[in-house]
Amino acid sequence: MAGLATTFGSGAMTNSNNDLLGANCIFSIGSNTTETHPVIGFNIKKATRSGAKLIIANPRHIELVRYADIWLQHTPGSDVALLMAMMKIILKEGLHDNSFIMQRCENFKPFKQSLDDFDLTTAETITGVPLGQIVEAARMYAQNGPSAILYAMGITQHSHGTDNVIAIANLAMLTGNIGKPGSGVNPLRGQNNVQGACDMGSLPNVCSGYQKISEPSIKQKFNVAWGINLPTEEGLSITEMIDSILQGRIKALYLIGENPILSDPDAGHVRKALSTIEFFVAQDIFINESVELAHVVLPGTSFAEKDGTFTNTERRVQRVRKAIDPIGYSRPDWLITCQIAQRMGAKGFDFEQPSQIMDEIAKVTPSYGGISYKRLDKGGLQWPCPDLKHPGTSILHTQQFTRGKGRFMPLRYKPPAELPDKDYPMMLTTGRNLFQFHTGTMSRKVAGLNSFKGEEEVEIHPKDAERLFLNNGDKVKVISRRGEITARIKISEASSPGVIFMTFHFAESPTNILTNPALDPISKIPELKVCSVKISKI
Amino acid sequence: MNYLRLNINSREIKVKPGTTVLQAAQASGTYIPTLCADPDLKPHGGCRLCIVEVKGMRNMPTACTTIVSEDMVVNTETEAVHKERRSVIDLIIADHPMDCLTCIKNQRCELQDVAAYLGITERNLPRTIKQKPIDDSNPFFTFNHNYCILCQRCTRTCDEITGVNAIEIINRGYNSKVSTFGDKPLMESICKSCGECVARCPVAALVAKNSIMPTSKIETTCPYCGVGCMMELGIRNGKIVSVEGSRSSQANNGRLCVKGRYGIADFVQHPERLVQPLLRKSNTLIETSWEEALNIVAQKLSAYSGDQIAVIASAKCTNEDNYIVQKFARSVLGTNNIDHCARL
Amino acid sequence: MAKIKTSKLSAGQRTVFLCHGTGCVSNEAFAIRKAFEKSIERLQLTDIKVDFTGCHGFCEQGPIVFVQPEGIFYAHVSLDDVEEIVYSHFRDNKPLERLMYKDPSSSEIVPYFKDINFYKKQRHIVLRNCGRINPERIEDYIATDGYQALQKVLFSMTPHQVIDEVKISGLRGRGGAGFPTATKWQFCHDAPSDKKYLICNADEGDPGAFMDRSMMEGDPHSVIEGMAIAAYATGATEGYIYIRAEYPLAVNRTKFAIKEAEERGFLGKNILGSDFSLKIHIKEGAGAFVCGEETALIASIEGRRGMPSSRPPFPTQSGLWGKPTNINNVKTLATVPLIILHGGKSYSQTGTEKNRGTSIFALTGKINCMGLVEVPMGTKLADIIFDIGGGIPNGKKLKAVQTGGPSGGCLPANMINLPVEYEAFANAGSIMGSGGMVVMDEDTCMVDVARFFISFTQSESCGKCVPCRLGTKQMLNILENICQGRGNITDIDLLQNLAQSIKVSSLCGLGQTAPNPVLTTLSYFRDEYEEHINDRRCRAAVCTGLVTYSIIAEKCPGCGLCIRECPVQAVTSSGKKKPVILDQSKCTKCGACFNICRLGAIAVK
């Protein structure tokens, strides 16, 4: 997100779900779309049926490879090298969009310089992809416009995730694939309302609508709107919070609807923090590995028992409606927070219903300025939607970039923080399965889904299995520098030799005990997609 | 935009070029019976029920596959058309179970609708039906081949909508049936259980398990991934009993995946749901009142300064929940230490 | 303009031609050829060449050996006969009478090919090269003016002129429906598109029909040349030959011919140095009857299940991969080079006003000479059956002729003066179809014939549309009931109604024509249906459910032949020289006893 904010001025998906159907070429990198965003997966397949080219860059043989024209099986963590090579080829062959670069972008020279310093044979070595294939992919993307890029956590969850995103943004600008139907840079958001939670300012550096607290005018605006004095110091990200708890600086935690012990890297570390903190209040719909450590647990309601809105990956704000009464004595999350605030003597938390909250959001958030429940009852609205007459925005950056000019950023390839070595010779990469979701808090309560995927499986290449004398279904220990877990293996040719794959849905085999908390310096996203492990048979 | 004029049952209608006769009729409120047409699928022309008379065309073309041309004159209600439609329905009924009253699709069955429209009151042909197998392997839905009328909405959905191609027609002639590669049970196939086929089955061949008719429906947004599919939750007696994709949202255009369609009610109404505030006393969490819980939280949090507190909000919660919690952190707790799992 | 190097066929040189069509090959024709080569080599008869040709269309006489230039025709040659022929015919110059063709009606020996009645009254235009040239040698085809037409088209005609020439010829699609070929080409030519396809339909699905196979085996280059011309006229740059995988010989010969043509520059990029390019692929079909239907065939090439789709859009508008596609039958395409070379007018001299040229039938059934028959359009059925086919064997009477394959109709004996014409057949309730012609004698039960054909179309129905899938099943059930003696007189009306609505409401040609055998037998042989139902009697004694065998005691000497023959021990002895006893409760009505008895002591009723 930070990468797109730097280059375009806005970190969200530039185009829309249905807009993919108008693409002549789709380049999907670091996204296993049919498993993680199945309905968008339908659109990709539909687009290929009507003739769109499909390029898949993924270390694993994912389902979409079946539909792809080109599959680039690059080494985990080598995305920047792959993308830089593509850009170098595009420039070399003159396939770039010169007028777009001239009219709509800036800082092209230093960027071009960074490519000049980059060598294509090195790219082949780093990515493990034959140069011929990279050339073919570069041509296909550049020559079949409009071309859309899709990416997901396979791009961002790296210690150099921001670089990955910038490289993608550079590629799109280089070929003029921004701001028009069927093109764009489209990060697929993992959770139902990640986009909304970010939009609302559940982030340490911005208030709602990405209004920077460091900016005096913004601070002033909120001081007036909320009748308080906004703290100016930027806050901590989750991973930093955990460290800070262990260092004794943070003493109290209010956790809502999350399970960091399963979802965050280096889970042992997280568990230690949550067990030792002075005061820990958790608000959730189920007891989970994190919640069970809390001092006070507050029962929230599920989406089905409350009114509200979610903002999906394409910036579309849509209604959530109360379908049934709250289960037991559970209460909607906004109400609980308001009730705590009121008990702490605060003003401005006396809302009777969520529509009033949305009215306040609209008032203080320019991109949500035109959104109201009344309008949403006629259908979702895509932000920016600055006023009540505005129809919403399905494609960003059509006339100019949010930040004015698109900014090319020079890049240099950096390897993952941890690479296989003598002691930990294999690479672990993580992802999701269609039949489970995230830490399984919801999906593992569904018996039918469990019958499809009920336990962790360590996906391992037959060559590695043979070398380690492993048979399908054998129980193994997977060990990293941070911890170890046990799970059964599944022999599969989906990944290349030396690379194993696991999900993080299962508390019994908590994969994130193994992963590396090394953060991207800008986005603070941990490197969940690459770490080094070894395997031993039990 | 230029329009084409056509005449359906002596009524003048204007449509966009490329419209089929069936679409034109439906748009103008004229009912034409059909069992294989679906707004999301390409015209099929298999059930032959939508045949109409078109002036100047020999034979009776199917409305679903015939594109409107300028000044077309269509008659959907002639005796000849009715006679052929009735003979088609007679053939289907002779090959279909006659247990409507106890059938799960009773009153929601499109075959019933069409038969009623055509005034079919009895079976006119000898029975051809034979006992066919039931594929019960999938945890969410059943494929009962005895009810299948081979309209192919399911196989076409699995091809055109989802691109999975788990099911196709196998065998020929009367032995034709919908099946998977190698005629294996669905669970052993590449089926992703999205249920798009179930949603389109006009009869009781593909039906969701434990499905009961809701008394009301409410439209909301799926809580799983970031696609933001809108769905209609079917409610009966205060419980969620069904889920359907909502066509009103452009995020999903009516489509859902396996989690959205079949993974909602079980977790929302799970017996392990937290129903009461809990308080840790002598290292165990015990139930307490809201009053006590909220007071303790307010009191404890008041005791710390802003830089001693952290708040982790949720990407699962609504915009309103998140707005409130960040406002709470910033304006009440006095800290910017607020984050959520945006990055995970 | 490149000049095609021509050579003359090895005229004059004595050559032994082995027929290498599927029929003869399955009777060891390859080994027989080897034996000829060996034997001739051993005798050092250096002036005698051994060669092979495609099918002669007279497979029941195979393996066929044909000696040129004298034109002697040997039939039923086995491996053991080779030495004898070589010694007698070639060393001693005494053609071997024993193996010469015998006319089945007159039992006379006919030494020369030109005198064989079966061939004498035919007119080989499409089959012009079959049995005469070596199909695996492009030079042979070139020597018979092959690829001259393509050259003419590429360098002296516009696509319009080509289409006009075909229009003048009056050629109609030989796939069965008889749609004017020039019109189809014109549609495809006029359809705007960046890419067009041409498909040669060689998916010969009718049981017993083998003219397409014979063409592909015996003269593949005339089809390929026809395709190149058609592609030029319609604007296609890519072609497919859709051919049944069960025709391995035809597939291999065609593949080989494509390779040869590409090497000679008759196919591929810039054909003969012109701007025109054509790539031809072979697609082997899995043998579904319905894939002969154009839209199902397209689905099959695209890798989908062979199921037809509604027309319009017609393939010439939106066909293979959604592009304009011209589909022609093998025989249609093989005719094209002749039309171009000799002019449409010359071609149109043959045949009748609306039906120009010739038609090929696969003549079979109760007839003396079975095989491929090419006759001018307008020829009477009687001429085919009696003059070419040599009439009905064993002095039986002609009862009906079934034309057009499983979805054709049965024409009664009193209609045998009907001319071979699309319209005449259609008016009589039948179709030309792909050219099947089954002759039936008085021992044929017409109800059973209808049942047989419906069971074929039912099991080949693709399952897509209701009338065809379920309607033919209903008809089949009713017909089975009638044949088993469980018929009801109301069944006749029910059959009639079902047949009518299947014809009207089915999606594709398969369903629309499937009722033809029922409709024609109902209209021409209704009395047989009524007899089956009312009298529980099958006059041809075919329907086992209605037949009773009994022993005529006064004629039976108790020889016991039938006792041994009966598979279910229903016939037992009642003592020496006493009539045998038939236990009706055990009898399965297989007719084995009836067939074995030489004394006429078994009655059938």
Side-chain angles (χ1 to χ4, degrees), chain B residues 171-176, chain C residues 289-290 305 455-470 472 510:
Chain B
N171 302 338
R172 295 204 167 264
Y174 183 69
N175 294 324
S176 304
Chain C
F289 179 63
V290 73
R305 176 178 162 92
S455 85
F456 179 85
T457 39
Q458 154 59 214
S459 61
E460 287 293 341
S461 162
C462 78
K464 180 169 175 175
C465 80
V466 176
C468 179
R469 181 181 79 247
L470 295 176
T472 54
L510 194 160

PDB file of all heavy atoms in Angstrom, chain B residues 171-176, chain C residues 289-290 305 455-470 472 510:
ATOM      1  N   ASN B 171     -22.038 -40.005 -21.570  1.00  0.00           N
ATOM      2  CA  ASN B 171     -22.887 -40.987 -22.269  1.00  0.00           C
ATOM      3  C   ASN B 171     -23.738 -40.310 -23.343  1.00  0.00           C
ATOM      4  O   ASN B 171     -23.645 -39.108 -23.550  1.00  0.00           O
ATOM      5  CB  ASN B 171     -23.788 -41.755 -21.305  1.00  0.00           C
ATOM      6  CG  ASN B 171     -22.986 -42.480 -20.242  1.00  0.00           C
ATOM      7  OD1 ASN B 171     -21.809 -42.748 -20.440  1.00  0.00           O
ATOM      8  ND2 ASN B 171     -23.612 -42.772 -19.130  1.00  0.00           N
ATOM      9  N   ARG B 172     -24.572 -41.140 -23.988  1.00  0.00           N
ATOM     10  CA  ARG B 172     -25.386 -40.596 -25.076  1.00  0.00           C
ATOM     11  C   ARG B 172     -26.818 -41.071 -24.946  1.00  0.00           C
ATOM     12  O   ARG B 172     -27.130 -41.975 -24.180  1.00  0.00           O
ATOM     13  CB  ARG B 172     -24.818 -41.042 -26.425  1.00  0.00           C
ATOM     14  CG  ARG B 172     -23.471 -40.462 -26.666  1.00  0.00           C
ATOM     15  CD  ARG B 172     -23.096 -40.372 -28.120  1.00  0.00           C
ATOM     16  NE  ARG B 172     -21.928 -39.534 -28.204  1.00  0.00           N
ATOM     17  CZ  ARG B 172     -21.965 -38.231 -28.478  1.00  0.00           C
ATOM     18  NH1 ARG B 172     -23.091 -37.647 -28.755  1.00  0.00           N
ATOM     19  NH2 ARG B 172     -20.864 -37.533 -28.493  1.00  0.00           N
ATOM     20  N   GLY B 173     -27.662 -40.465 -25.765  1.00  0.00           N
ATOM     21  CA  GLY B 173     -29.044 -40.886 -25.836  1.00  0.00           C
ATOM     22  C   GLY B 173     -29.722 -40.810 -24.483  1.00  0.00           C
ATOM     23  O   GLY B 173     -29.463 -39.901 -23.690  1.00  0.00           O
ATOM     24  N   TYR B 174     -30.579 -41.779 -24.211  1.00  0.00           N
ATOM     25  CA  TYR B 174     -31.324 -41.768 -22.961  1.00  0.00           C
ATOM     26  C   TYR B 174     -30.391 -41.913 -21.764  1.00  0.00           C
ATOM     27  O   TYR B 174     -30.723 -41.522 -20.664  1.00  0.00           O
ATOM     28  CB  TYR B 174     -32.364 -42.904 -22.978  1.00  0.00           C
ATOM     29  CG  TYR B 174     -33.236 -42.919 -21.758  1.00  0.00           C
ATOM     30  CD1 TYR B 174     -34.162 -41.903 -21.546  1.00  0.00           C
ATOM     31  CD2 TYR B 174     -33.123 -43.926 -20.814  1.00  0.00           C
ATOM     32  CE1 TYR B 174     -34.960 -41.886 -20.412  1.00  0.00           C
ATOM     33  CE2 TYR B 174     -33.909 -43.928 -19.683  1.00  0.00           C
ATOM     34  CZ  TYR B 174     -34.827 -42.905 -19.479  1.00  0.00           C
ATOM     35  OH  TYR B 174     -35.603 -42.897 -18.362  1.00  0.00           O
ATOM     36  N   ASN B 175     -29.221 -42.480 -21.973  1.00  0.00           N
ATOM     37  CA  ASN B 175     -28.282 -42.667 -20.869  1.00  0.00           C
ATOM     38  C   ASN B 175     -27.434 -41.439 -20.575  1.00  0.00           C
ATOM     39  O   ASN B 175     -26.567 -41.472 -19.709  1.00  0.00           O
ATOM     40  CB  ASN B 175     -27.364 -43.857 -21.144  1.00  0.00           C
ATOM     41  CG  ASN B 175     -28.135 -45.150 -21.167  1.00  0.00           C
ATOM     42  OD1 ASN B 175     -29.081 -45.319 -20.393  1.00  0.00           O
ATOM     43  ND2 ASN B 175     -27.775 -46.055 -22.062  1.00  0.00           N
ATOM     44  N   SER B 176     -27.678 -40.358 -21.310  1.00  0.00           N
ATOM     45  CA  SER B 176     -26.933 -39.132 -21.041  1.00  0.00           C
ATOM     46  C   SER B 176     -27.171 -38.707 -19.602  1.00  0.00           C
ATOM     47  O   SER B 176     -28.287 -38.779 -19.109  1.00  0.00           O
ATOM     48  CB  SER B 176     -27.418 -37.999 -21.949  1.00  0.00           C
ATOM     49  OG  SER B 176     -27.319 -38.375 -23.292  1.00  0.00           O
TER      50      SER B 176
ATOM     51  N   PHE C 289     -22.000 -40.314 -33.845  1.00  0.00           N
ATOM     52  CA  PHE C 289     -22.815 -40.103 -35.047  1.00  0.00           C
ATOM     53  C   PHE C 289     -23.148 -38.626 -35.218  1.00  0.00           C
ATOM     54  O   PHE C 289     -23.080 -38.080 -36.310  1.00  0.00           O
ATOM     55  CB  PHE C 289     -24.082 -40.947 -34.897  1.00  0.00           C
ATOM     56  CG  PHE C 289     -25.038 -40.836 -36.045  1.00  0.00           C
ATOM     57  CD1 PHE C 289     -24.668 -41.263 -37.317  1.00  0.00           C
ATOM     58  CD2 PHE C 289     -26.323 -40.336 -35.853  1.00  0.00           C
ATOM     59  CE1 PHE C 289     -25.572 -41.189 -38.372  1.00  0.00           C
ATOM     60  CE2 PHE C 289     -27.222 -40.264 -36.912  1.00  0.00           C
ATOM     61  CZ  PHE C 289     -26.843 -40.690 -38.168  1.00  0.00           C
ATOM     62  N   VAL C 290     -23.478 -37.970 -34.107  1.00  0.00           N
ATOM     63  CA  VAL C 290     -23.956 -36.592 -34.171  1.00  0.00           C
ATOM     64  C   VAL C 290     -22.857 -35.625 -34.624  1.00  0.00           C
ATOM     65  O   VAL C 290     -23.139 -34.529 -35.081  1.00  0.00           O
ATOM     66  CB  VAL C 290     -24.546 -36.158 -32.805  1.00  0.00           C
ATOM     67  CG1 VAL C 290     -23.439 -35.934 -31.786  1.00  0.00           C
ATOM     68  CG2 VAL C 290     -25.397 -34.905 -32.949  1.00  0.00           C
ATOM     69  N   ARG C 305     -17.634 -31.318 -25.863  1.00  0.00           N
ATOM     70  CA  ARG C 305     -18.447 -32.476 -26.185  1.00  0.00           C
ATOM     71  C   ARG C 305     -19.187 -32.193 -27.482  1.00  0.00           C
ATOM     72  O   ARG C 305     -19.696 -31.088 -27.695  1.00  0.00           O
ATOM     73  CB  ARG C 305     -19.445 -32.718 -25.048  1.00  0.00           C
ATOM     74  CG  ARG C 305     -20.428 -33.846 -25.306  1.00  0.00           C
ATOM     75  CD  ARG C 305     -21.330 -34.020 -24.087  1.00  0.00           C
ATOM     76  NE  ARG C 305     -22.527 -34.755 -24.389  1.00  0.00           N
ATOM     77  CZ  ARG C 305     -22.659 -36.084 -24.256  1.00  0.00           C
ATOM     78  NH1 ARG C 305     -21.638 -36.784 -23.820  1.00  0.00           N
ATOM     79  NH2 ARG C 305     -23.795 -36.684 -24.532  1.00  0.00           N
ATOM     80  N   SER C 455     -33.505 -47.384 -32.502  1.00  0.00           N
ATOM     81  CA  SER C 455     -32.593 -47.722 -31.407  1.00  0.00           C
ATOM     82  C   SER C 455     -31.205 -47.152 -31.706  1.00  0.00           C
ATOM     83  O   SER C 455     -30.493 -46.732 -30.801  1.00  0.00           O
ATOM     84  CB  SER C 455     -32.540 -49.230 -31.149  1.00  0.00           C
ATOM     85  OG  SER C 455     -31.615 -49.848 -32.008  1.00  0.00           O
ATOM     86  N   PHE C 456     -30.868 -47.081 -32.978  1.00  0.00           N
ATOM     87  CA  PHE C 456     -29.580 -46.467 -33.339  1.00  0.00           C
ATOM     88  C   PHE C 456     -29.593 -44.965 -33.041  1.00  0.00           C
ATOM     89  O   PHE C 456     -28.722 -44.446 -32.351  1.00  0.00           O
ATOM     90  CB  PHE C 456     -29.267 -46.697 -34.822  1.00  0.00           C
ATOM     91  CG  PHE C 456     -27.956 -46.063 -35.247  1.00  0.00           C
ATOM     92  CD1 PHE C 456     -26.753 -46.727 -35.073  1.00  0.00           C
ATOM     93  CD2 PHE C 456     -27.934 -44.789 -35.804  1.00  0.00           C
ATOM     94  CE1 PHE C 456     -25.549 -46.138 -35.438  1.00  0.00           C
ATOM     95  CE2 PHE C 456     -26.742 -44.183 -36.178  1.00  0.00           C
ATOM     96  CZ  PHE C 456     -25.547 -44.873 -36.001  1.00  0.00           C
ATOM     97  N   THR C 457     -30.595 -44.268 -33.546  1.00  0.00           N
ATOM     98  CA  THR C 457     -30.607 -42.813 -33.343  1.00  0.00           C
ATOM     99  C   THR C 457     -30.790 -42.477 -31.865  1.00  0.00           C
ATOM    100  O   THR C 457     -30.205 -41.522 -31.375  1.00  0.00           O
ATOM    101  CB  THR C 457     -31.701 -42.115 -34.179  1.00  0.00           C
ATOM    102  OG1 THR C 457     -32.862 -42.925 -34.175  1.00  0.00           O
ATOM    103  CG2 THR C 457     -31.253 -41.909 -35.594  1.00  0.00           C
ATOM    104  N   GLN C 458     -31.566 -43.283 -31.150  1.00  0.00           N
ATOM    105  CA  GLN C 458     -31.723 -43.032 -29.715  1.00  0.00           C
ATOM    106  C   GLN C 458     -30.374 -43.130 -29.009  1.00  0.00           C
ATOM    107  O   GLN C 458     -30.009 -42.260 -28.234  1.00  0.00           O
ATOM    108  CB  GLN C 458     -32.749 -44.004 -29.115  1.00  0.00           C
ATOM    109  CG  GLN C 458     -32.595 -44.315 -27.639  1.00  0.00           C
ATOM    110  CD  GLN C 458     -32.667 -43.108 -26.708  1.00  0.00           C
ATOM    111  OE1 GLN C 458     -31.997 -43.082 -25.690  1.00  0.00           O
ATOM    112  NE2 GLN C 458     -33.443 -42.096 -27.059  1.00  0.00           N
ATOM    113  N   SER C 459     -29.630 -44.177 -29.321  1.00  0.00           N
ATOM    114  CA  SER C 459     -28.375 -44.329 -28.578  1.00  0.00           C
ATOM    115  C   SER C 459     -27.306 -43.359 -29.075  1.00  0.00           C
ATOM    116  O   SER C 459     -26.292 -43.171 -28.426  1.00  0.00           O
ATOM    117  CB  SER C 459     -27.871 -45.763 -28.633  1.00  0.00           C
ATOM    118  OG  SER C 459     -27.621 -46.110 -29.971  1.00  0.00           O
ATOM    119  N   GLU C 460     -27.531 -42.722 -30.213  1.00  0.00           N
ATOM    120  CA  GLU C 460     -26.574 -41.732 -30.705  1.00  0.00           C
ATOM    121  C   GLU C 460     -27.038 -40.299 -30.459  1.00  0.00           C
ATOM    122  O   GLU C 460     -26.329 -39.352 -30.785  1.00  0.00           O
ATOM    123  CB  GLU C 460     -26.300 -41.938 -32.198  1.00  0.00           C
ATOM    124  CG  GLU C 460     -25.450 -43.171 -32.496  1.00  0.00           C
ATOM    125  CD  GLU C 460     -24.014 -43.058 -31.977  1.00  0.00           C
ATOM    126  OE1 GLU C 460     -23.543 -41.944 -31.717  1.00  0.00           O
ATOM    127  OE2 GLU C 460     -23.380 -44.121 -31.809  1.00  0.00           O
ATOM    128  N   SER C 461     -28.222 -40.140 -29.899  1.00  0.00           N
ATOM    129  CA  SER C 461     -28.702 -38.798 -29.579  1.00  0.00           C
ATOM    130  C   SER C 461     -27.726 -38.176 -28.587  1.00  0.00           C
ATOM    131  O   SER C 461     -27.248 -38.842 -27.680  1.00  0.00           O
ATOM    132  CB  SER C 461     -30.090 -38.898 -28.947  1.00  0.00           C
ATOM    133  OG  SER C 461     -30.399 -37.699 -28.267  1.00  0.00           O
ATOM    134  N   CYS C 462     -27.411 -36.889 -28.781  1.00  0.00           N
ATOM    135  CA  CYS C 462     -26.388 -36.297 -27.912  1.00  0.00           C
ATOM    136  C   CYS C 462     -26.927 -35.987 -26.536  1.00  0.00           C
ATOM    137  O   CYS C 462     -26.172 -35.729 -25.618  1.00  0.00           O
ATOM    138  CB  CYS C 462     -25.811 -35.040 -28.541  1.00  0.00           C
ATOM    139  SG  CYS C 462     -26.864 -33.595 -28.373  1.00  0.00           S
ATOM    140  N   GLY C 463     -28.246 -35.969 -26.390  1.00  0.00           N
ATOM    141  CA  GLY C 463     -28.835 -35.726 -25.076  1.00  0.00           C
ATOM    142  C   GLY C 463     -29.168 -34.278 -24.806  1.00  0.00           C
ATOM    143  O   GLY C 463     -29.725 -33.947 -23.773  1.00  0.00           O
ATOM    144  N   LYS C 464     -28.849 -33.399 -25.754  1.00  0.00           N
ATOM    145  CA  LYS C 464     -29.052 -31.976 -25.470  1.00  0.00           C
ATOM    146  C   LYS C 464     -30.526 -31.575 -25.463  1.00  0.00           C
ATOM    147  O   LYS C 464     -30.984 -30.928 -24.546  1.00  0.00           O
ATOM    148  CB  LYS C 464     -28.282 -31.126 -26.484  1.00  0.00           C
ATOM    149  CG  LYS C 464     -28.447 -29.623 -26.267  1.00  0.00           C
ATOM    150  CD  LYS C 464     -27.464 -28.833 -27.107  1.00  0.00           C
ATOM    151  CE  LYS C 464     -27.718 -27.331 -26.984  1.00  0.00           C
ATOM    152  NZ  LYS C 464     -26.708 -26.540 -27.684  1.00  0.00           N
ATOM    153  N   CYS C 465     -31.254 -31.933 -26.515  1.00  0.00           N
ATOM    154  CA  CYS C 465     -32.631 -31.454 -26.567  1.00  0.00           C
ATOM    155  C   CYS C 465     -33.619 -32.543 -26.180  1.00  0.00           C
ATOM    156  O   CYS C 465     -33.409 -33.722 -26.428  1.00  0.00           O
ATOM    157  CB  CYS C 465     -32.961 -30.804 -27.909  1.00  0.00           C
ATOM    158  SG  CYS C 465     -33.340 -31.938 -29.227  1.00  0.00           S
ATOM    159  N   VAL C 466     -34.682 -32.107 -25.551  1.00  0.00           N
ATOM    160  CA  VAL C 466     -35.671 -33.028 -24.989  1.00  0.00           C
ATOM    161  C   VAL C 466     -36.337 -33.920 -26.042  1.00  0.00           C
ATOM    162  O   VAL C 466     -36.404 -35.137 -25.849  1.00  0.00           O
ATOM    163  CB  VAL C 466     -36.737 -32.235 -24.192  1.00  0.00           C
ATOM    164  CG1 VAL C 466     -37.823 -33.167 -23.677  1.00  0.00           C
ATOM    165  CG2 VAL C 466     -36.085 -31.499 -23.040  1.00  0.00           C
ATOM    166  N   PRO C 467     -36.833 -33.376 -27.149  1.00  0.00           N
ATOM    167  CA  PRO C 467     -37.572 -34.244 -28.084  1.00  0.00           C
ATOM    168  C   PRO C 467     -36.734 -35.411 -28.580  1.00  0.00           C
ATOM    169  O   PRO C 467     -37.216 -36.540 -28.654  1.00  0.00           O
ATOM    170  CB  PRO C 467     -37.926 -33.299 -29.239  1.00  0.00           C
ATOM    171  CG  PRO C 467     -37.790 -31.936 -28.702  1.00  0.00           C
ATOM    172  CD  PRO C 467     -36.771 -31.987 -27.617  1.00  0.00           C
ATOM    173  N   CYS C 468     -35.476 -35.141 -28.893  1.00  0.00           N
ATOM    174  CA  CYS C 468     -34.641 -36.197 -29.440  1.00  0.00           C
ATOM    175  C   CYS C 468     -34.250 -37.194 -28.357  1.00  0.00           C
ATOM    176  O   CYS C 468     -34.321 -38.400 -28.539  1.00  0.00           O
ATOM    177  CB  CYS C 468     -33.414 -35.570 -30.094  1.00  0.00           C
ATOM    178  SG  CYS C 468     -32.262 -36.742 -30.786  1.00  0.00           S
ATOM    179  N   ARG C 469     -33.847 -36.677 -27.186  1.00  0.00           N
ATOM    180  CA  ARG C 469     -33.375 -37.576 -26.134  1.00  0.00           C
ATOM    181  C   ARG C 469     -34.503 -38.432 -25.575  1.00  0.00           C
ATOM    182  O   ARG C 469     -34.370 -39.651 -25.459  1.00  0.00           O
ATOM    183  CB  ARG C 469     -32.735 -36.761 -24.999  1.00  0.00           C
ATOM    184  CG  ARG C 469     -32.185 -37.605 -23.874  1.00  0.00           C
ATOM    185  CD  ARG C 469     -31.575 -36.770 -22.756  1.00  0.00           C
ATOM    186  NE  ARG C 469     -32.573 -36.203 -21.863  1.00  0.00           N
ATOM    187  CZ  ARG C 469     -32.843 -34.921 -21.734  1.00  0.00           C
ATOM    188  NH1 ARG C 469     -32.174 -34.044 -22.444  1.00  0.00           N
ATOM    189  NH2 ARG C 469     -33.765 -34.492 -20.905  1.00  0.00           N
ATOM    190  N   LEU C 470     -35.608 -37.792 -25.217  1.00  0.00           N
ATOM    191  CA  LEU C 470     -36.693 -38.540 -24.578  1.00  0.00           C
ATOM    192  C   LEU C 470     -37.728 -39.032 -25.582  1.00  0.00           C
ATOM    193  O   LEU C 470     -38.335 -40.077 -25.384  1.00  0.00           O
ATOM    194  CB  LEU C 470     -37.376 -37.670 -23.516  1.00  0.00           C
ATOM    195  CG  LEU C 470     -36.489 -37.283 -22.333  1.00  0.00           C
ATOM    196  CD1 LEU C 470     -37.225 -36.342 -21.388  1.00  0.00           C
ATOM    197  CD2 LEU C 470     -36.032 -38.523 -21.570  1.00  0.00           C
ATOM    198  N   THR C 472     -37.281 -40.072 -28.769  1.00  0.00           N
ATOM    199  CA  THR C 472     -36.879 -41.304 -29.451  1.00  0.00           C
ATOM    200  C   THR C 472     -36.925 -42.482 -28.479  1.00  0.00           C
ATOM    201  O   THR C 472     -37.196 -43.615 -28.871  1.00  0.00           O
ATOM    202  CB  THR C 472     -35.449 -41.187 -30.035  1.00  0.00           C
ATOM    203  OG1 THR C 472     -34.550 -40.792 -29.009  1.00  0.00           O
ATOM    204  CG2 THR C 472     -35.389 -40.184 -31.171  1.00  0.00           C
ATOM    205  N   LEU C 510     -30.222 -34.452 -36.576  1.00  0.00           N
ATOM    206  CA  LEU C 510     -30.353 -35.828 -36.091  1.00  0.00           C
ATOM    207  C   LEU C 510     -31.772 -36.073 -35.589  1.00  0.00           C
ATOM    208  O   LEU C 510     -32.438 -37.024 -35.978  1.00  0.00           O
ATOM    209  CB  LEU C 510     -29.333 -36.087 -34.978  1.00  0.00           C
ATOM    210  CG  LEU C 510     -29.075 -37.546 -34.572  1.00  0.00           C
ATOM    211  CD1 LEU C 510     -27.746 -37.673 -33.858  1.00  0.00           C
ATOM    212  CD2 LEU C 510     -30.156 -38.146 -33.712  1.00  0.00           C
TER     213      LEU C 510
END
